[in-house]
Amino acid sequence: MKLITSLGFVLMMSLFSAQEHISSFNALTVTYKFHPKFFLYAEGQSRGIEEYTYPDYYEIKGGLGYNLTKNHKPFIGLGRYATYKEHAINKEEFRVWLQDVIDFKTGVVKFENRFRAEKSWFYEPQTDKRSERMRYRYRLNVSVPLNAKKIAPGTLFANVYDEIFIVSPIKPAFARNRVYGGLGYQIDENFGVLGGYLWQREFEAKGNKNVHFIYFALNINIDDTKDPQPKTYHFPGAD
């Protein structure tokens, strides 16, 4: 057992010392349910991709969702995104998207299917270049409460997902794959935290790239309705 642990440690150290390193991925999300059927969502995010402690990417986004049924939630969103190189802004993006989430439960295990279509407009201020992109995403997200039968205040849960990204007109069309695993804790009726590891594989014509994120999020859920239905808690995950 000690030999296997030592070999694993050496392999990890060799991997990160060769070409790859740990990046940061931090998020603050707010879900506000103002009607039994409608909710607002907002998120602020920063990532340290080149350096763990220095954010070189951020995004601010939000939108309106509709609870079509208990397990079916269409959503429309928009956001602004910015990437920095050498401490100067390198690329700006404005994005709008349509999303559909369909989930179901088997026992205590919840399966969430998320489909999304995005339209983006880019501007690179250093070269005055403009471009556009369509992107299509699918994510299968699985969550399991560990100390209760459902997620409620005081519940610890595990969360894993896999997400694929298809783009147009950029080549290759299969642009990205994300795999995440982590733990979450619902502190009370309003606050929850998530933390875990996210592996991101970028597929590019000039060569593929791996990014390793340590993810942390604070999620705030506010329900301002008198809905008699059992309360649910929204954990958007690394997005």
mmCIF file of all heavy atoms in Angstrom, residues 1-17:
data_model
loop_
_atom_site.group_PDB
_atom_site.id
_atom_site.type_symbol
_atom_site.label_atom_id
_atom_site.label_comp_id
_atom_site.label_asym_id
_atom_site.label_seq_id
_atom_site.Cartn_x
_atom_site.Cartn_y
_atom_site.Cartn_z
ATOM 1 N N MET A 1 0.827 -1.197 0.000
ATOM 2 C CA MET A 1 0.000 0.000 0.000
ATOM 3 C C MET A 1 0.867 1.254 0.000
ATOM 4 O O MET A 1 0.616 2.230 -0.710
ATOM 5 C CB MET A 1 -0.920 -0.008 1.230
ATOM 6 C CG MET A 1 -1.887 1.157 1.260
ATOM 7 S SD MET A 1 -3.070 1.090 -0.121
ATOM 8 C CE MET A 1 -3.979 2.593 0.137
ATOM 9 N N LYS A 2 1.921 1.250 0.830
ATOM 10 C CA LYS A 2 2.825 2.393 0.878
ATOM 11 C C LYS A 2 3.533 2.589 -0.452
ATOM 12 O O LYS A 2 3.764 3.720 -0.888
ATOM 13 C CB LYS A 2 3.858 2.200 1.996
ATOM 14 C CG LYS A 2 3.271 2.306 3.396
ATOM 15 C CD LYS A 2 4.367 2.191 4.442
ATOM 16 C CE LYS A 2 3.792 2.347 5.846
ATOM 17 N NZ LYS A 2 4.855 2.229 6.886
ATOM 18 N N LEU A 3 3.872 1.465 -1.109
ATOM 19 C CA LEU A 3 4.542 1.549 -2.405
ATOM 20 C C LEU A 3 3.636 2.189 -3.443
ATOM 21 O O LEU A 3 4.054 3.061 -4.209
ATOM 22 C CB LEU A 3 4.964 0.153 -2.858
ATOM 23 C CG LEU A 3 5.622 0.065 -4.249
ATOM 24 C CD1 LEU A 3 6.894 0.912 -4.284
ATOM 25 C CD2 LEU A 3 5.923 -1.383 -4.606
ATOM 26 N N ILE A 4 2.331 1.784 -3.464
ATOM 27 C CA ILE A 4 1.381 2.343 -4.425
ATOM 28 C C ILE A 4 1.190 3.838 -4.180
ATOM 29 O O ILE A 4 1.173 4.653 -5.107
ATOM 30 C CB ILE A 4 0.033 1.605 -4.327
ATOM 31 C CG1 ILE A 4 0.210 0.151 -4.763
ATOM 32 C CG2 ILE A 4 -1.029 2.285 -5.190
ATOM 33 C CD1 ILE A 4 -1.019 -0.707 -4.567
ATOM 34 N N THR A 5 1.058 4.226 -2.895
ATOM 35 C CA THR A 5 0.895 5.638 -2.554
ATOM 36 C C THR A 5 2.107 6.454 -2.997
ATOM 37 O O THR A 5 1.977 7.546 -3.553
ATOM 38 C CB THR A 5 0.684 5.799 -1.041
ATOM 39 O OG1 THR A 5 -0.448 5.023 -0.648
ATOM 40 C CG2 THR A 5 0.437 7.256 -0.686
ATOM 41 N N SER A 6 3.299 5.906 -2.762
ATOM 42 C CA SER A 6 4.521 6.609 -3.145
ATOM 43 C C SER A 6 4.626 6.770 -4.656
ATOM 44 O O SER A 6 4.979 7.837 -5.157
ATOM 45 C CB SER A 6 5.744 5.855 -2.620
ATOM 46 O OG SER A 6 5.700 5.745 -1.218
ATOM 47 N N LEU A 7 4.290 5.706 -5.390
ATOM 48 C CA LEU A 7 4.332 5.781 -6.847
ATOM 49 C C LEU A 7 3.329 6.795 -7.370
ATOM 50 O O LEU A 7 3.619 7.567 -8.294
ATOM 51 C CB LEU A 7 4.057 4.412 -7.446
ATOM 52 C CG LEU A 7 5.168 3.356 -7.300
ATOM 53 C CD1 LEU A 7 4.688 2.008 -7.805
ATOM 54 C CD2 LEU A 7 6.419 3.798 -8.062
ATOM 55 N N GLY A 8 2.117 6.811 -6.781
ATOM 56 C CA GLY A 8 1.108 7.783 -7.194
ATOM 57 C C GLY A 8 1.565 9.205 -6.955
ATOM 58 O O GLY A 8 1.375 10.089 -7.795
ATOM 59 N N PHE A 9 2.203 9.435 -5.813
ATOM 60 C CA PHE A 9 2.707 10.772 -5.496
ATOM 61 C C PHE A 9 3.790 11.193 -6.482
ATOM 62 O O PHE A 9 3.791 12.331 -6.968
ATOM 63 C CB PHE A 9 3.254 10.788 -4.069
ATOM 64 C CG PHE A 9 3.831 12.111 -3.649
ATOM 65 C CD1 PHE A 9 2.990 13.172 -3.317
ATOM 66 C CD2 PHE A 9 5.210 12.303 -3.605
ATOM 67 C CE1 PHE A 9 3.522 14.392 -2.943
ATOM 68 C CE2 PHE A 9 5.744 13.504 -3.225
ATOM 69 C CZ PHE A 9 4.893 14.558 -2.887
ATOM 70 N N VAL A 10 4.701 10.289 -6.798
ATOM 71 C CA VAL A 10 5.772 10.598 -7.751
ATOM 72 C C VAL A 10 5.207 10.910 -9.129
ATOM 73 O O VAL A 10 5.639 11.861 -9.802
ATOM 74 C CB VAL A 10 6.770 9.421 -7.832
ATOM 75 C CG1 VAL A 10 7.750 9.630 -8.982
ATOM 76 C CG2 VAL A 10 7.526 9.278 -6.520
ATOM 77 N N LEU A 11 4.199 10.133 -9.564
ATOM 78 C CA LEU A 11 3.581 10.375 -10.870
ATOM 79 C C LEU A 11 2.897 11.737 -10.919
ATOM 80 O O LEU A 11 3.005 12.464 -11.904
ATOM 81 C CB LEU A 11 2.570 9.268 -11.181
ATOM 82 C CG LEU A 11 3.167 7.907 -11.556
ATOM 83 C CD1 LEU A 11 2.067 6.855 -11.646
ATOM 84 C CD2 LEU A 11 3.943 7.988 -12.872
ATOM 85 N N MET A 12 2.206 12.094 -9.841
ATOM 86 C CA MET A 12 1.538 13.391 -9.800
ATOM 87 C C MET A 12 2.554 14.528 -9.828
ATOM 88 O O MET A 12 2.392 15.514 -10.551
ATOM 89 C CB MET A 12 0.675 13.503 -8.544
ATOM 90 C CG MET A 12 -0.585 12.669 -8.584
ATOM 91 S SD MET A 12 -1.602 12.906 -7.121
ATOM 92 C CE MET A 12 -2.017 14.646 -7.311
ATOM 93 N N MET A 13 3.620 14.394 -9.068
ATOM 94 C CA MET A 13 4.656 15.430 -9.048
ATOM 95 C C MET A 13 5.318 15.559 -10.403
ATOM 96 O O MET A 13 5.606 16.664 -10.876
ATOM 97 C CB MET A 13 5.699 15.118 -7.967
ATOM 98 C CG MET A 13 5.157 15.226 -6.542
ATOM 99 S SD MET A 13 4.527 16.881 -6.161
ATOM 100 C CE MET A 13 6.053 17.821 -6.249
ATOM 101 N N SER A 14 5.565 14.443 -11.056
ATOM 102 C CA SER A 14 6.171 14.479 -12.389
ATOM 103 C C SER A 14 5.246 15.147 -13.395
ATOM 104 O O SER A 14 5.686 15.925 -14.249
ATOM 105 C CB SER A 14 6.486 13.050 -12.848
ATOM 106 O OG SER A 14 7.384 12.431 -11.978
ATOM 107 N N LEU A 15 3.944 14.858 -13.292
ATOM 108 C CA LEU A 15 2.964 15.437 -14.206
ATOM 109 C C LEU A 15 2.946 16.944 -14.097
ATOM 110 O O LEU A 15 3.064 17.665 -15.095
ATOM 111 C CB LEU A 15 1.572 14.871 -13.882
ATOM 112 C CG LEU A 15 0.380 15.539 -14.584
ATOM 113 C CD1 LEU A 15 0.416 15.235 -16.078
ATOM 114 C CD2 LEU A 15 -0.924 15.082 -13.974
ATOM 115 N N PHE A 16 2.815 17.453 -12.885
ATOM 116 C CA PHE A 16 2.677 18.886 -12.713
ATOM 117 C C PHE A 16 3.989 19.630 -12.931
ATOM 118 O O PHE A 16 3.998 20.763 -13.397
ATOM 119 C CB PHE A 16 2.115 19.198 -11.329
ATOM 120 C CG PHE A 16 0.702 18.722 -11.153
ATOM 121 C CD1 PHE A 16 0.354 17.889 -10.106
ATOM 122 C CD2 PHE A 16 -0.274 19.089 -12.056
ATOM 123 C CE1 PHE A 16 -0.948 17.447 -9.955
ATOM 124 C CE2 PHE A 16 -1.583 18.650 -11.920
ATOM 125 C CZ PHE A 16 -1.918 17.826 -10.867
ATOM 126 N N SER A 17 5.129 19.001 -12.615
ATOM 127 C CA SER A 17 6.413 19.676 -12.815
ATOM 128 C C SER A 17 6.795 19.708 -14.283
ATOM 129 O O SER A 17 7.568 20.560 -14.715
ATOM 130 C CB SER A 17 7.502 18.971 -12.000
ATOM 131 O OG SER A 17 7.669 17.646 -12.451
#
